[in-house]
Amino acid sequence: MGDTTAVSSLSRVLLPLLLHITILAAAAPLDPQQLLALRALGLGPHSRADPCTAVAAAAAAVSASCDAGAPFRRVTSLALTNCSDTTSVSAAALEALAPSLRALAFADCPAAPPRALPPEQLASGLRSFSCTASLRRLPAVWLSHLANLTELTVANTPLATSGSPTELAVVVSHMDHLARLTISNANLSGFLPHHWHCPNLTHLDLSGNRITGAIPDTLTLLAGITHLNLSSNVLNGPIPNSIGDLISLTTLDLSNNTLSGAIPETVSTLPELEVLDLGSNHLNGSIPMFLAEMRSLRELNLENNDFDGMVPFSAKFLSRLRVFRAAGNSKLCYNRSVLSAEVAVGVAPCDKYGFPVLPPPATARSERSADYDDGGGDGEGDAGADTRGGPSATVLGVAIGLSCLAFLVILLVCLCKVCRR
Ligand SMILES: *[C@@H]1O[C@H](CO)[C@@H](O)[C@H](O)[C@H]1NC(C)=O
Ligand SMILES: *[C@@H]1O[C@H](CO)[C@@H](O)[C@H](O)[C@H]1NC(C)=O
Ligand SMILES: *[C@@H]1O[C@H](CO)[C@@H](O)[C@H](O)[C@H]1NC(C)=O
Ligand SMILES: *[C@@H]1O[C@H](CO)[C@@H](O)[C@H](O)[C@H]1NC(C)=O
Ligand SMILES: *[C@@H]1O[C@H](CO)[C@@H](O)[C@H](O)[C@H]1NC(C)=O
Ligand SMILES: *[C@@H]1O[C@H](CO)[C@@H](O)[C@H](O)[C@H]1NC(C)=O
Ligand SMILES: *[C@@H]1O[C@H](CO)[C@@H](O)[C@H](O)[C@H]1NC(C)=O
Ligand SMILES: *[C@@H]1O[C@H](CO)[C@@H](O)[C@H](O)[C@H]1NC(C)=O
């Protein structure tokens, strides 16, 4: 009897206590320091006490996820979107968030960039950093301290650099754990690094910068890379043979540079390659036949280069591709008994010697059709030719118009002479 009262009174005390503890554990309040930091970064004063669970609002948004710590929960990931330009990323705010923050993202957030270097806890703790059209100008030095990142994205944001030609190498020199690196449209100049220390890198996007010089042979150090985008820079020299060592590549975009020379044969050893974009360079030689043997290939862009000879592909191969572009290669042509103008858009047909049929002289329409008929009449004839040659078609039209006018004038003159008689 006495025992049961003791147990029940004990449970009367313990149960509420336990309940209290579980409630605390389920919804411990956010660390007050960190809450202050979030407010400094633009969290509205009237938003709920727990921003960890707050759903991102429509306009300016601070969204956070938090751990389940006790007595206080702490912010592990933070995204600032569409913030006002009076926001600033203060050293104090970063200091408060540093112990727990693993991911930090800014998007459309024209806040003033951090002035001091990142606090040490942030530098070692942060795994993911992303800055898209944000922070006005992001100091490259600040970035370079984030040594433990696995993901780094800087897009549509100019980097404030020292202008050193090895700037990129300096920024990533301590980031051994990177898996994804994007520095795109960031006004980055200088050369590509000769040494990479990121064995786990799979995505590298440096598009839309002002990177110059050759693509180093040492690119082969990026053994596990699947996506490589170096488009819209000012890279020159040849595509290195070592590109063939990157056997996991699925996407290779080197378009809109000033690369020269031929497509290296080693490209044929990339079994997974799906997208090959070499458009808008100064590449030359013939288009290699082996491309047709690449089973995974879905997009092939060779436009605006200096390729010559005959397009070596069958209609069957081209029909398998989502994208095929080869226009803007003035010495390139296609065999009319193999391909039609619809698939070889913008490429001239070959004459019987395998050279492109020259743009037809405006007056000799009959001569042109004679030339075209050499490959066997598959009937896609003049309509195809006219859609193909946009500018020359206009020239032709104008010429015909002018000749008609001249003819009319002559006719009128003759008529007048006849009348006067
Ligand atoms: C950004 O904020 C403006 C108002 O400040 C709002 O009109 C706009 O819809 C917001 N954009 C997004 C993507 O949330
Ligand atoms: C990276 O993170 C690991 C694990 O958290 C830590 O031990 C290491 O010190 C960090 N490295 C740097 C350079 O901060
Ligand atoms: C690369 O990834 C593996 C597996 O995720 C991991 O064990 C290893 O530590 C990583 N290496 C580096 C340098 O981060
Ligand atoms: C890009 O960099 C150059 C110098 O390297 C500088 O003059 C220019 O102002 C930068 N542009 C932007 C938008 O920051
Ligand atoms: C490479 O980057 C550019 C610009 O950022 C983008 O337009 C293009 O789609 C990318 N290429 C591939 C193959 O994803
Ligand atoms: C090609 O690169 C130049 C700068 O190098 C850029 O201004 C232009 O927009 C790029 N073109 C395309 C189609 O991306
Ligand atoms: C291709 O261009 C390089 C110079 O960039 C030149 O040395 C080479 O002879 C050219 N090859 C062909 C087949 O035109
Ligand atoms: C075009 O292809 C046909 C059929 O394959 C072939 O007989 C002909 O020689 C080719 N034309 C040229 C100019 O190589």
Side-chain angles (χ1 to χ4, degrees):
M1 201 58 171
D3 275 1
T4 28
T5 16
V7 167
S8 70
S9 63
L10 197 65
S11 63
R12 220 173 289 148
V13 177
L14 268 183
L15 262 177
L17 195 68
L18 272 175
L19 216 67
H20 191 66
I21 287 171
T22 36
I23 287 169
L24 255 186
L30 185 63
D31 181 310
Q33 294 290 324
Q34 296 200 340
L35 186 61
L36 280 178
L38 293 189
R39 293 224 191 287
L41 290 172
L43 184 74
H46 305 300
S47 44
R48 283 194 282 154
D50 187 4
C52 302
T53 55
V55 181
V62 176
S63 68
S65 27
C66 307
D67 62 13
F72 297 117
R73 302 171 71 194
R74 299 185 308 173
V75 177
T76 54
S77 117
L78 177 64
L80 272 66
T81 316
N82 203 17
C83 45
S84 87
D85 54 8
T86 57
T87 310
S88 86
V89 183
S90 70
L94 288 180
E95 192 80 48
L97 295 166
S100 57
L101 203 61
R102 296 290 170 266
L104 178 59
F106 299 91
D108 300 312
C109 180
R115 276 202 230 114
L117 288 178
E120 207 160 307
Q121 275 181 311
L122 189 73
S124 63
L126 211 57
R127 295 292 184 270
S128 167
F129 178 76
S130 169
C131 174
T132 305
S134 300
L135 302 184
R136 300 173 203 173
R137 287 183 92 214
L138 185 60
V141 180
W142 190 87
L143 273 187
S144 68
H145 279 73
L146 306 177
N148 248 343
L149 291 180
T150 59
E151 278 188 46
L152 170 58
T153 301
V154 178
N156 306 327
T157 303
L159 274 182
T161 68
S162 65
S164 146
T166 56
E167 193 75 43
L168 178 57
V170 171
V171 168
V172 300
S173 61
H174 300 296
M175 299 183 183
D176 299 354
H177 308 290
L178 278 178
R180 288 164 170 266
L181 172 61
T182 296
I183 300 181
S184 173
N185 296 316
N187 201 26
L188 183 63
S189 57
F191 304 122
L192 288 171
H194 279 267
H195 296 287
W196 290 94
H197 314 270
C198 338
N200 286 354
L201 196 69
T202 58
H203 287 65
L204 178 60
D205 180 350
L206 301 172
S207 61
N209 288 296
R210 299 184 294 123
I211 301 171
T212 65
I215 301 176
D217 256 331
T218 49
L219 200 69
T220 176
L221 292 169
L222 302 173
I225 199 154
T226 60
H227 289 76
L228 180 58
N229 192 344
L230 302 176
S231 67
S232 297
N233 281 288
V234 266
L235 295 166
N236 56 33
I239 301 172
N241 285 322
S242 58
I243 200 90
D245 296 341
L246 307 178
I247 55 166
S248 304
L249 267 185
T250 60
T251 300
L252 177 59
D253 189 344
L254 303 178
S255 63
N256 201 18
N257 280 286
T258 53
L259 299 169
S260 56
I263 299 179
E265 228 170 277
T266 52
V267 167
S268 67
T269 63
L270 300 173
E272 316 281 336
L273 198 65
E274 291 170 19
V275 176
L276 179 59
D277 193 342
L278 303 176
S280 301
N281 278 290
H282 302 323
L283 298 170
N284 68 1
S286 53
I287 295 178
M289 202 120 48
F290 65 70
L291 291 173
E293 317 276 280
M294 299 181 68
R295 304 246 166 260
S296 307
L297 205 61
R298 291 294 172 269
E299 295 187 17
L300 178 60
N301 186 359
L302 303 171
E303 72 187 4
N304 300 326
N305 276 289
D306 207 12
F307 292 116
D308 58 30
M310 204 177 277
V311 175
F313 305 132
S314 67
K316 184 158 168 266
F317 168 72
L318 291 184
S319 70
R320 218 183 63 202
L321 298 180
R322 266 195 308 262
V323 173
F324 172 66
R325 294 205 193 102
N329 290 283
S330 59
K331 287 177 279 179
L332 189 70
C333 65
Y334 71 94
N335 184 335
R336 293 186 76 236
S337 45
V338 177
L339 298 178
S340 68
E342 281 73 35
V343 286
V345 178
V347 182
C350 298
D351 63 15
K352 53 177 166 284
Y353 310 107
F355 293 106
V357 170
L358 294 174
T363 47
R365 227 188 136 84
S366 57
E367 190 188 317
R368 184 182 64 151
S369 15
D371 249 350
Y372 276 20
D373 278 340
D374 124 295
D378 39 275
E380 102 277 336
D382 281 347
D386 283 348
T387 50
R388 192 169 48 239
S392 60
T394 350
V395 168
L396 195 69
V398 169
I400 290 173
L402 281 179
S403 353
C404 287
L405 203 69
F407 177 73
L408 266 178
V409 169
I410 291 169
L411 194 71
L412 277 176
V413 168
C414 290
L415 275 177
C416 284
K417 278 186 180 164
V418 170
C419 289
R420 247 185 260 153
R421 254 187 233 163

